[in-house]
Amino acid sequence: MTSTFLSAIALLSLLFTLPPCFIFFSRLLKGPQRQAPISPQRATLDQLGTTSIIVPTLNEADRIQPCLDGLKRQSYEVREMLIVDSQSQDGTREMVQQAQSQDPRIRLITDDPLPSDWVGRPWALHNGFLASSPKSDWILGLDADTQPQPGLVAGLLRVANQEDYDLISLSPQFLLAYPGEWLLQPALLMTLLYRFDPSGATPSSPERVMANGQCFLCRRGILEDIEGYSVAKGSFCDDVTLARYIAQQGYKVGFLDGKRVLKVRMYEGAKETWQEWGRSLDLKDASAPGQLWGDLWLLLTVQGLPLLLTVFWGSLWLLGYQTLPVLIALGVNGLLVGIRWSLLLAIAPSYDRNTPQFSPLFWLSPLADPLAVLRIFLSAWQTPKQWRGRVYSNFNETG
């Protein structure tokens, strides 16, 4: 290879890389301006009975107990807790019934048979919404793998009322256990941070709204106006689909930092994380094709390739191909790698690292970035056929 040829390749690489870099840097600048994390609060009298909680379940016996325990620790701001079960066969229903005997606010209901054009999770949430008390001003959807901390609901309501939010979802603190998780999960999470504004920042448009259905608080009146969760019935990222639709109607939507009030243990090991979480992270059900592929371009250039390209251009430089384009390409990719590692400091509080056995691997998670970006590309090309124990063999390609 000649120096001229390598210089041309370096220039082409820079032309491909620099536009997404400017977008990425503009998002980083919003970090210092974001809203403070939600903090646990004591319920106030004006919050009395204002919230109905809905938890969809399907064979969640291995992980629902911490969620049930956390629900029981919420105060009188919670009117009812509806556990909407989809015919679990693993003991989930019995565990809910036991919790119900300890807290009368907990109520087990069974959703109707799943229609062919619905995904299971929004269907369960929709059934829970229809069964909830009309006296509740707020509907809070929680996933069964969450661990609500004391003061969660009161803290949400306080911020929603003070800041006049119509919808709030939270980013949690993650609980990881196995070495593969500590390497892969933060890299997958970073694909979201690269594509969207940080939690607590104001999105630039409804199309850039981010949401997390693990903790999703919405005004009841809005759900009534839009016929519940039906606008997201065929979406495998129903949380983002619904949040963006509501934002498009002119309502104030917030995606806030909830690490102080919500913990979550999502998946068991790197394999399950790759298969299950990776299926929905592309967000194609909530995005126009141009936005999706623009985001993939950004991920490839600012997260997936910089480490590999830094090694590549650095090796060529050491071999004597010391041209200006090679130097600039090396510098740009080296800068992106440095930023990526420094971002670990920003997201470290979003991980419970009190168990020291494997948590140091968190600091090596940028090494998994090429795999994480590959997973998003694979997901973007595929329509999910299985999700949380359900098979969607005949599900339409646009769902």
Side-chain angles (χ1 to χ4, degrees):
M1 291 187 290
T2 67
S3 295
T4 302
F5 176 75
L6 288 172
S7 294
I9 295 298
L11 288 172
L12 288 174
S13 172
L14 288 170
L15 288 174
F16 186 73
T17 301
L18 289 178
C21 282
F22 288 121
I23 296 173
F24 171 56
F25 293 150
S26 70
R27 291 173 183 161
L28 286 181
L29 293 175
K30 295 183 179 181
Q33 305 169 4
R34 63 181 185 161
Q35 186 166 322
I38 297 279
S39 59
Q41 300 291 328
R42 291 183 179 273
T44 55
L45 287 177
D46 61 302
Q47 297 174 351
L48 177 64
T50 57
T51 306
S52 291
I53 295 178
I54 303 172
V55 182
T57 59
L58 175 59
N59 295 326
E60 303 283 3
D62 290 339
R63 53 185 180 174
I64 195 175
Q65 191 60 56
C67 180
L68 294 172
D69 293 341
L71 290 177
K72 290 182 289 185
R73 288 196 292 266
Q74 304 307 308
S75 190
Y76 54 74
E77 72 279 11
V78 177
R79 177 182 297 274
E80 58 187 354
M81 307 166 188
L82 306 178
I83 314 299
V84 186
D85 189 68
S86 301
Q87 302 290 352
S88 293
Q89 302 296 318
D90 66 341
T92 297
R93 299 176 65 87
E94 289 75 13
M95 296 175 70
V96 174
Q97 289 167 346
Q98 174 64 27
Q100 185 174 345
S101 68
Q102 300 167 354
D103 191 327
R105 295 175 299 172
I106 296 176
R107 180 154 56 100
L108 175 65
I109 64 176
T110 303
D111 56 3
D112 294 331
L114 182 67
S116 60
D117 58 343
W118 280 76
V119 175
R121 185 177 179 279
W123 176 245
L125 290 167
H126 187 72
N127 277 265
F129 166 65
L130 295 178
S132 64
S133 171
K135 296 180 180 180
S136 292
D137 298 326
W138 296 90
I139 301 295
L140 174 60
L142 288 174
D143 279 1
D145 55 9
T146 61
Q147 300 180 15
Q149 302 301 296
L152 162 66
V153 180
L156 274 169
L157 293 176
R158 178 177 180 180
V159 171
N161 290 318
Q162 286 183 345
E163 303 296 332
D164 200 27
Y165 280 111
D166 300 297
L167 187 160
I168 295 177
S169 64
L170 297 184
S171 62
Q173 185 178 70
F174 296 99
L175 303 171
L176 305 183
Y178 302 110
E181 288 179 84
W182 280 106
L183 288 171
L184 180 61
Q185 201 272 2
L188 286 170
L189 177 67
M190 195 62 67
T191 66
L192 295 173
L193 300 182
Y194 273 47
R195 283 180 284 167
F196 303 103
D197 297 327
S199 59
T202 302
S204 57
S205 68
E207 292 73 24
R208 304 311 304 180
V209 163
M210 185 55 194
N212 178 21
Q214 293 170 324
C215 183
F216 195 95
L217 179 75
C218 186
R219 293 187 189 274
R220 180 183 189 85
I222 295 175
L223 290 175
E224 291 175 341
D225 290 342
I226 65 173
E227 299 182 357
Y229 295 79
S230 58
V231 296
K233 64 181 181 180
S235 176
F236 286 96
C237 56
D238 57 279
D239 44 8
V240 179
T241 300
L242 189 62
R244 289 181 179 176
Y245 181 84
I246 290 173
Q248 288 166 1
Q249 310 311 304
Y251 295 105
K252 187 175 180 181
V253 174
F255 177 56
L256 306 182
D257 188 340
K259 61 177 175 284
R260 298 176 182 172
V261 291
L262 186 73
K263 298 178 183 291
V264 61
R265 173 81 180 124
M266 292 173 63
Y267 301 113
E268 295 296 324
K271 180 179 179 181
E272 189 173 323
T273 301
W274 172 276
Q275 291 175 341
E276 297 293 337
W277 200 26
R279 258 187 214 127
S280 62
L281 281 179
D282 60 271
L283 305 182
K284 60 179 175 290
D285 291 347
S287 308
Q291 178 184 344
L292 171 63
W293 292 105
D295 285 349
L296 292 177
W297 176 19
L298 183 144
L299 283 181
L300 183 65
T301 54
V302 302
Q303 185 184 2
L305 292 179
L307 182 60
L308 301 176
L309 290 178
T310 299
V311 174
F312 175 72
W313 295 119
S315 299
L316 290 177
W317 183 267
L318 293 175
L319 290 173
Y321 296 98
Q322 298 178 350
T323 66
L324 182 60
V326 170
L327 177 62
I328 296 175
L330 174 59
V332 168
N333 285 283
L335 175 64
L336 290 171
V337 170
I339 290 173
R340 171 65 178 90
W341 244 284
S342 66
L343 284 175
L344 289 176
L345 296 173
I347 69 170
S350 294
Y351 289 86
D352 186 337
R353 293 175 291 117
N354 291 327
T355 303
Q357 184 177 10
F358 298 117
S359 60
L361 292 175
F362 167 80
W363 302 105
L364 298 179
S365 60
L367 298 176
D369 278 1
L371 276 178
V373 174
L374 173 63
R375 184 65 183 95
I376 306 304
F377 270 83
L378 292 175
S379 181
W381 282 106
Q382 301 166 350
T383 297
K385 298 299 182 182
Q386 185 173 340
W387 189 262
R388 291 294 196 188
R390 294 186 190 267
V391 177
Y392 299 92
S393 57
N394 298 317
F395 203 73
N396 64 74
E397 290 296 317
T398 62

